[in-house]
Amino acid sequence: MASRVLWLLAAGGLLIGGAAGLAVYFGHVDPAPAPATAFQPPKARPMKVAFSPEEFRQFLDAARKAEAIADPLQRCLAYPDPPGTHWSANTAAAYCHYLLAQEITEDAVRQLIEHGQVSELQSRLASIESAALSDPQARDRLDGTFNIVFANGSSDMRSLMDAWKRQSPDNAFALAASGTAYVAMAQAQRGSEYADKTPQDAFDAMHRLLEQARSDLDRAATLDPKLTVSYAQMLHVGRMDSDPAYAGAAAKRALSAAPASYAIYARLISMSQPKWGGSVALMDHLIDLSQKHVAQNPLLGTLLSERGGGQQRVEDCQCDEFAEAELYRQVLAEVPTLGVLMSAGWAAQERSHMNLSVVYRSELLRFNPRELDHREARVFGLIDTGQVDWALEEGNALVKLAPRDENAYDARGAAYQATGDTVHAAADFEEALRIAPSDAWTLSSLGDIYVQVNHDWAKGWDIANRLIQEGDYRGWMLRADIQKAQPRDGLEQTIDDFVQRYSADPSKQVFVERMQAMRGTSVNPAAAKGRNGS
């Protein structure tokens, strides 16, 4: 559905999609949809690391200290900037307030609506909107509040919004909040799968909810033409509903009402990505236009990190250590968007640049501590960079926060294992498997403890069989380790099976060589006998 989004902003509206449309309104740019290209550092780049070990240590010390602050906003404001960078203090502070300032909480909203005090609620929202006109640090604060409080697709939120509208049917805030909740419900119905894997009834439900969102958002924009929250949600509706005319009209009205709006520019740039039918050239042009207003709204500085294709550019980098460092200096030249930080943290870990991954993910958690997946992943980076005590502290916190999340137990188990406490590590991996019985990483980690530490051949053999059933290469390797060390018959057959299955896979060559090296080897049965050997 989203691939059909096209853009054209002319006198009557904006057709959203190919770069040609936006060029009509925003000025000439190359209309050819250009794919986001992988980051290519200059050929004569300096052979310089991103930061020194001492800078990294100082950053980690300051980050850990800041993360001990309970209040999310104060924690964000106290957090260190990445080592070796010089961020704008105004932009960093504005981003902290935009994402974390709790001008009004969901609980407070609920109390006011349920007690018939919607006039007080509307007065408080109006104060937030008014503050943005006089305080640069408060720009887009209302948009941030709506994202935190009302972008909730639950039936409970739906009931609350309906109750608000019954008490105040012609209030723009009530209608915009209701529309925001409808969009969240529509997104939940749509899900995150590709279109060909999404049932038609899910699309039908999404479209019905988007129609209800349109009705509320249109009325809100009519009642308060300067309420940018409405337009930002309209853009979302236009993309999800493949309606370029609707999205176009919203974009034109939004930039006319609020030319320095971060929420609107961020949405336009996101929709201009090549995967939505736009181009890198169009993204860069929009970023250039947004920077003309950065003095009025420091939040716009975060959009600089989206240059050159943003997240895809970061993910596609074919980076060695020094290319990764050059990318780091460019991506973190100014406060990046959350999306870029997510992609950068994941990509750096995939490229085994764990110190950079820890920095990216720490900054992500600075601005959005609710990203538990990235917090769990950071534990492995902390272990890899020698911060084992902090990793275990984080593992304990994660298990407390998400006691039914197998990844929390995996993270804590890995931290225990790094301290040498394999008893508690095995217990955590076993708990993770009770939640997710077929997780290959957990099976392999637990199998290694059973075999390499405990010499519990029977349990290790069971784990090896489960991995093989999952088609995971580590199952054959674990089986071979048992057959060699216990010893147990069949080692040569296991090696033959592994070589036949994986010899043509370039990514498995190091393991093929390891298995081949085991041919003709065995351990003296008496010496190898473990406490559960059989």
Side-chain angles (χ1 to χ4, degrees):
M1 300 292 286
S3 63
R4 294 176 51 203
V5 176
L6 301 171
W7 292 44
L8 170 66
L9 181 54
L14 174 68
L15 181 63
I16 301 183
L22 280 181
V24 172
Y25 183 73
F26 291 109
H28 176 72
V29 294
D30 179 5
T37 56
F39 169 73
Q40 296 293 336
K43 292 182 179 180
R45 70 181 186 273
M47 303 294 278
K48 181 182 177 184
V49 296
F51 39 75
S52 70
E54 178 60 20
E55 288 176 317
F56 185 51
R57 185 194 64 76
Q58 291 175 357
F59 169 79
L60 292 175
D61 288 346
R64 189 175 183 182
K65 181 179 179 181
E67 289 187 21
I69 299 172
D71 180 76
L73 176 59
Q74 295 307 314
R75 181 193 311 134
C76 185
L77 294 170
Y79 213 88
D81 295 340
T85 65
H86 303 283
W87 282 358
S88 161
N90 285 340
T91 297
Y95 209 35
C96 287
H97 280 91
Y98 174 72
L99 293 167
L100 298 168
Q102 287 280 37
E103 301 285 350
I104 187 168
T105 65
E106 184 177 334
D107 286 343
V109 168
R110 182 177 306 280
Q111 288 292 320
L112 290 169
I113 293 173
E114 290 178 348
H115 288 82
Q117 297 175 317
V118 296
S119 59
E120 170 64 18
L121 170 59
Q122 290 155 192
S123 176
R124 291 175 66 175
L125 293 173
S127 295
I128 299 170
E129 184 181 35
S130 177
L133 300 177
S134 57
D135 181 4
Q137 289 296 333
R139 299 285 190 234
D140 290 86
R141 189 80 56 82
L142 188 64
D143 296 80
T145 298
F146 269 61
N147 289 336
I148 293 171
V149 176
F150 302 116
N152 180 336
S154 69
S155 57
D156 187 52
M157 177 59 69
R158 180 70 264 145
S159 298
L160 194 64
M161 294 299 94
D162 290 341
W164 186 2
K165 287 195 297 181
R166 284 194 296 272
Q167 295 178 56
S168 190
D170 296 319
N171 180 264
F173 294 126
L175 292 163
S178 177
T180 299
Y182 272 129
V183 171
M185 293 174 71
Q187 184 64 65
Q189 287 292 331
R190 168 62 180 85
S192 57
E193 289 286 357
Y194 289 107
D196 60 356
K197 294 183 179 180
T198 302
Q200 184 58 44
D201 59 353
F203 281 115
D204 293 342
M206 178 193 78
H207 289 304
R208 287 193 296 270
L209 290 164
L210 290 177
E211 283 301 315
Q212 292 173 294
R214 285 177 186 240
S215 177
D216 282 347
L217 294 170
D218 290 346
R219 288 188 62 210
T222 298
L223 290 166
D224 184 354
K226 292 188 178 296
L227 187 59
T228 55
V229 171
S230 304
Y231 303 125
Q233 293 300 321
M234 287 177 181
L235 290 172
H236 200 168
V237 170
R239 186 172 77 180
M240 292 178 68
D241 231 358
S242 296
D243 189 338
Y246 184 75
K252 182 178 180 180
R253 294 170 69 186
L255 292 177
S256 175
S261 169
Y262 167 79
I264 298 304
Y265 267 112
R267 181 76 69 186
L268 291 174
I269 291 165
S270 174
M271 294 173 71
S272 299
Q273 295 176 81
K275 64 182 178 181
W276 302 128
S279 70
V280 173
L282 179 54
M283 292 177 68
D284 287 350
H285 191 64
L286 285 166
I287 292 166
D288 289 341
L289 292 176
S290 73
Q291 297 311 295
K292 295 179 180 180
H293 305 283
V294 74
Q296 293 77 44
N297 188 351
L299 279 172
L300 293 168
T302 67
L303 299 176
L304 290 170
S305 64
E306 299 282 353
R307 284 194 187 280
Q311 295 169 248
Q312 189 173 340
R313 167 178 177 258
V314 169
E315 293 173 8
D316 290 347
C317 178
Q318 302 301 310
C319 285
D320 60 20
E321 179 183 4
F322 297 108
E324 190 84 67
E326 188 68 20
L327 179 63
Y328 172 93
R329 283 186 283 271
Q330 293 188 23
V331 169
L332 296 181
E334 183 52 281
V335 182
T337 62
L338 294 180
V340 168
L341 284 171
M342 287 182 193
S343 290
W346 168 82
Q349 179 174 330
E350 288 293 299
R351 296 189 285 260
S352 299
H353 299 131
M354 299 300 286
N355 58 343
L356 300 184
S357 180
V358 166
V359 173
Y360 287 128
R361 282 184 160 136
S362 295
E363 292 297 340
L364 171 63
L365 295 169
R366 167 189 186 172
F367 294 111
N368 187 2
R370 296 179 294 276
E371 287 289 345
L372 291 187
D373 287 350
H374 287 271
R375 187 173 176 182
E376 290 162 348
R378 188 184 63 164
V379 169
F380 296 90
L382 291 172
I383 293 169
D384 190 77
T385 54
Q387 301 292 314
V388 177
D389 289 346
W390 190 7
L392 184 55
E393 180 182 298
E394 282 290 274
N396 286 325
L398 287 162
V399 167
K400 186 176 181 179
L401 283 169
R404 297 302 302 160
D405 182 351
E406 70 275 13
N407 294 318
Y409 290 97
D410 280 339
R412 189 173 70 175
Y416 272 128
Q417 192 169 19
T419 69
D421 185 350
T422 55
V423 174
H424 282 97
D428 273 346
F429 294 148
E430 287 166 352
E431 182 60 32
L433 287 174
R434 279 188 278 272
I435 300 170
S438 61
D439 185 271
W441 185 91
T442 314
L443 284 167
S444 177
S445 299
L446 183 59
D448 283 342
I449 292 176
Y450 285 158
V451 173
Q452 309 299 342
V453 179
N454 298 345
H455 299 161
D456 191 332
W457 314 119
K459 286 186 177 180
W461 193 261
D462 176 64
I463 293 288
N465 286 335
R466 289 166 69 180
L467 283 166
I468 289 171
Q469 288 173 2
E470 295 296 324
D472 191 280
Y473 72 96
R474 289 169 289 194
W476 281 273
M477 297 180 69
L478 188 62
R479 174 180 286 181
D481 285 340
I482 296 169
Q483 288 167 326
K484 174 185 174 182
Q486 186 179 8
R488 188 181 288 218
D489 291 339
L491 176 59
E492 294 295 324
Q493 185 61 54
T494 297
I495 296 170
D496 289 342
D497 290 345
F498 188 88
V499 171
Q500 182 178 2
R501 181 178 289 264
Y502 295 109
S503 60
D505 184 345
S507 69
K508 300 294 190 296
Q509 290 312 295
V510 64
F511 304 118
V512 170
E513 292 173 8
R514 175 188 157 187
M515 292 287 277
Q516 291 278 32
M518 294 173 70
R519 290 192 186 277
T521 64
S522 64
V523 175
N524 183 289
K529 207 169 187 180
R531 61 177 179 273
N532 289 307
S534 60

